Amino acid sequence: MTSDADEAAMLHMRKRARSITFALPLSLLLALSGLPDAQAATPKDALLIGQVAEPQSLDPQVATAANDSRILVNLYDGLVRNGAGKLNIEPALATRWEISDDGLTYRFHLRQNVRFQDGTPFNAEAAKFTFQRMLDEKNPWHNTGPFPLAFFFSAINNIETPDAYTLVFHLKEPFAPLLSNLATPTGLIVSPTAVKKYGKDFGRHPVGTGAFRFSEWQANQRVVVHANADYWEGKPAVNTVVFRPIVDGNTRVAEMLSGGIDAMVEVPPDTVKLFAKHSKRFRLYQTVGPHVWYVMLNAHVPPFNDLRVRQAVNYAVNKQSLVDNVLQGSAGVADGPIPGAFSWAANPHVKPYPYDPDKARALLKAAGAEGATVTFYVTEGGSGMLDPVPMATAIQADLKAVGLKVNIETYEWNTYLSKVNAGLDDHTHMAEMAWMTNDPDTLPFLTLRSDAWPQKGGFNSGYYRNPQVDALLEKARLTTDNAVRGQLYRQVQQIVHDDAPWLFVANWQQNAVTSTRIQHFSLQPNFNLLLNRVTKQ
């Protein structure tokens, strides 16, 4: 049991470690904020966006990261989309649709006179191609995958095209999240001609019907897109957008302050107040969206195959301190896998695990796990990961204080994803992760079901298993009544909270900053960037 003096000393050490980590970069950033605006050196029609990582792929059915989605939604359109500033469903390439009373047939009426950026026509056959490529293993273009989120549409039994502009999905069973899933990047429509031309390299040569057409991708330097003059909603206001991967958050901030970029996403928490202070040069944007930052615990191997140890970790970590001090108040403490942004599905009776290191020690002792050593995979940066290394360091310190030795292994984002998405091995016990979703079904269905273990194509990399959760998630997909769905998800939230397959940490309030030369910029609740109306003075 630690004394008040011991706890004060640990807090002092943590704050001192944080000051050592950030003192030099912040002093540099403050100095840069007085530099003349370097944006005058960039072409007037170029909008420069600072991204958090190099893209994985620009094939919407292959990519899984929000970092990639911010580019994808500007190159492609889906049948439907989320309305600007909302999570509701509105027409896109489909102008209207009907759903049968039994929930098994979805009939989409498609927009006419739309062309892909390669000049080929968009029609029902092109839309059908997109889904069959993912879903039919015998399809000749299925080998252009893998398609990790194809089971967003696994309820589709067959697809009909009665005429050139009608697309009909016949489902195996009712599937409540279908329209929400169609509004995700995985539902974006690709050019069949381009897929057939480039094969597995399509992700480096993307072609859609979107507001911008692809120009170039220089690895680890930039992705460049140009305005699509023939876009069905009208030519974008800006001619060129350059997406620059700048992995280090402080480097991104320095580029923003010196004028090297016009906008940046995922502002490091320590610098939010800095941009707010310099309102004559910058605009700070913040909005709430459904986001969960967590640490998966490998339930397949000791010590986390013991419920008591998983719960101990949740009691041991001071999550309020993490969101207040590391994330500088830019997030709230998470209580489970369904964020409160889904008010109709979140469980108000489930509360975050309180900070209780004494209870954590007692649970570890009861489980015989005192002094255990665990390996913790940590990413340098990535979509929705906020401040991953400082977060991991603080978690490591809290776990050390209750008797767990944590060895951190750090990886670049895409390398990290390849390791974690394959499933945690027997020597890896913890791994950070963040998800941004537009339906309460998505995160638990992809990451907590028994059938979502990596070997089965899912993202349950910690090998959690609970048949009751499996049954509730399946049942929630079979009803289109949101009131009933909400009741089922609230049960899932309670069970998963109690089972503690993750260390539940934070729900982020997303942010971005732009130069005051940028107009009509906005953040979307689904974490995408819609740039076709943005202007640059």
Side-chain angles (χ1 to χ4, degrees):
M1 183 174 180
T2 58
S3 66
D4 290 345
D6 289 333
E7 293 185 357
M10 284 189 286
L11 179 61
H12 172 74
M13 288 294 288
R14 179 179 297 174
K15 289 182 176 179
R16 183 171 181 272
R18 294 256 328 136
S19 68
I20 292 171
T21 302
F22 288 99
L24 180 59
L26 281 176
S27 64
L28 171 63
L29 301 179
L30 288 168
L32 282 170
S33 68
L35 292 176
D37 191 351
Q39 287 178 327
T42 63
K44 187 174 180 61
D45 65 349
L47 174 65
L48 279 68
I49 307 286
Q51 287 269 77
V52 299
E54 173 79 351
Q56 290 178 287
S57 173
L58 295 181
D59 182 332
Q61 279 78 56
V62 172
T64 60
N67 180 70
D68 301 17
S69 299
R70 295 184 180 112
I71 304 175
L72 294 170
V73 294
N74 292 286
L75 296 173
Y76 303 87
D77 298 302
L79 298 175
V80 300
R81 65 190 180 190
N82 294 128
K86 303 175 183 177
L87 289 175
N88 65 319
I89 302 298
E90 69 176 28
L93 290 177
T95 58
R96 59 189 175 90
W97 54 90
E98 297 99 27
I99 305 172
S100 63
D101 291 341
D102 61 8
L104 294 176
T105 303
Y106 286 65
R107 181 178 296 268
F108 295 91
H109 302 275
L110 306 184
R111 194 174 300 277
Q112 300 186 28
N113 302 314
V114 174
R115 288 189 173 272
F116 290 101
Q117 294 134 6
D118 57 11
T120 58
F122 163 75
N123 53 33
E125 286 297 330
K128 180 179 179 179
F129 175 91
T130 292
F131 296 98
Q132 286 193 325
R133 180 174 75 118
M134 280 189 285
L135 298 173
D136 183 2
E137 294 182 359
K138 296 180 180 179
N139 184 281
W141 307 105
H142 186 74
N143 64 358
T144 57
F147 309 116
L149 300 180
F151 49 87
F152 273 10
F153 309 110
S154 59
I156 297 174
N157 187 43
N158 62 74
I159 305 173
E160 285 187 304
T161 54
D163 58 56
Y165 295 102
T166 304
L167 180 73
V168 183
F169 290 155
H170 295 284
L171 308 190
K172 303 169 188 174
E173 58 189 4
F175 181 55
L178 181 63
L179 289 175
S180 292
N181 288 353
L182 286 170
T184 68
T186 311
L188 296 170
I189 305 300
V190 301
S191 163
T193 302
V195 171
K196 293 173 184 178
K197 178 179 179 180
Y198 295 110
K200 289 187 74 69
D201 289 332
F202 174 72
R204 303 289 299 202
H205 304 275
V207 179
T209 62
F212 293 88
R213 56 182 175 82
F214 174 76
S215 178
E216 67 169 319
W217 180 351
Q218 293 290 330
N220 299 306
Q221 294 184 45
R222 63 185 179 271
V223 171
V224 182
V225 302
H226 293 301
N228 179 5
D230 299 320
Y231 186 48
W232 57 272
E233 277 196 309
K235 182 183 177 181
V238 66
N239 287 324
T240 305
V241 181
V242 180
F243 296 91
R244 290 184 51 198
I246 307 173
V247 176
D248 179 73
N250 291 321
T251 303
R252 247 182 359 264
V253 171
E255 288 275 15
M256 189 73 223
L257 290 168
S258 65
I261 53 178
D262 298 309
M264 63 175 286
V265 294
E266 302 192 26
V267 182
D270 281 352
T271 60
V272 170
K273 292 180 181 178
L274 172 64
F275 286 112
K277 179 181 178 182
H278 291 82
S279 58
K280 291 184 178 180
R281 293 186 60 208
F282 305 106
R283 290 192 181 93
L284 180 67
Y285 298 83
Q286 295 178 302
T287 191
V288 174
H291 168 277
V292 182
W293 195 106
Y294 62 96
V295 177
M296 64 183 74
L297 307 175
N298 190 346
H300 208 50
V301 296
F304 295 129
N305 60 349
D306 190 313
L307 170 63
R308 294 167 294 185
V309 180
R310 300 195 302 271
Q311 290 178 335
V313 167
N314 277 277
Y315 286 116
V317 174
N318 190 340
K319 294 168 285 292
Q320 192 65 53
S321 177
L322 288 177
V323 301
D324 289 345
N325 299 318
V326 180
L327 300 182
Q328 300 290 300
S330 63
V333 175
D335 54 25
I338 298 174
F342 296 119
S343 57
W344 61 273
N347 190 331
H349 302 295
V350 174
K351 304 299 181 185
Y353 278 83
Y355 175 52
D356 191 339
D358 288 337
K359 188 164 187 174
R361 292 186 192 95
L363 286 167
L364 290 174
K365 183 176 182 180
E370 295 171 297
T373 298
V374 296
T375 299
F376 186 9
Y377 274 6
V378 173
T379 180
E380 295 172 356
S383 302
M385 294 305 303
L386 311 181
D387 237 351
V389 175
M391 290 281 279
T393 303
I395 290 169
Q396 179 189 46
D398 280 343
L399 295 182
K400 181 180 179 180
V402 299
L404 287 177
K405 181 181 179 181
V406 179
N407 295 325
I408 290 176
E409 293 186 15
T410 308
Y411 299 94
E412 173 272 334
W413 177 235
N414 287 322
T415 302
Y416 180 83
L417 286 179
S418 68
K419 287 180 171 290
V420 173
N421 288 347
L424 302 185
D425 60 33
D426 290 351
H427 307 290
T428 307
H429 307 90
M430 306 168 62
E432 296 175 330
M433 191 50 67
W435 277 77
M436 296 167 275
T437 67
N438 63 351
D439 191 280
D441 167 82
T442 306
L443 181 58
F445 195 84
L446 293 183
T447 63
L448 292 170
R449 283 183 312 126
S450 305
D451 282 342
W453 286 14
Q455 297 90 329
K456 300 179 182 180
F459 295 87
N460 186 351
S461 296
Y463 301 103
Y464 170 67
R465 179 184 181 87
N466 186 314
Q468 189 178 1
V469 169
D470 295 344
L472 287 167
L473 290 173
E474 291 290 348
K475 188 175 181 181
R477 290 191 147 202
L478 297 177
T479 176
T480 55
D481 185 330
N482 265 14
V484 176
R485 289 184 76 203
Q487 292 175 0
L488 297 169
Y489 291 131
R490 286 191 283 276
Q491 293 180 60
V492 168
Q493 185 86 333
Q494 183 68 67
I495 296 167
V496 173
H497 172 275
D498 295 345
D499 280 351
W502 303 341
L503 166 60
F504 309 109
V505 181
N507 301 127
W508 177 49
Q509 178 178 317
Q510 66 162 320
N511 56 32
V513 65
T514 73
S515 160
T516 51
R517 298 174 64 187
I518 305 305
Q519 305 288 331
H520 309 298
F521 181 95
S522 62
L523 289 173
Q524 304 303 319
N526 61 9
F527 299 90
N528 289 330
L529 289 180
L530 303 177
L531 302 176
N532 58 316
R533 295 292 176 257
V534 174
T535 60
K536 179 179 177 181
Q537 297 176 344

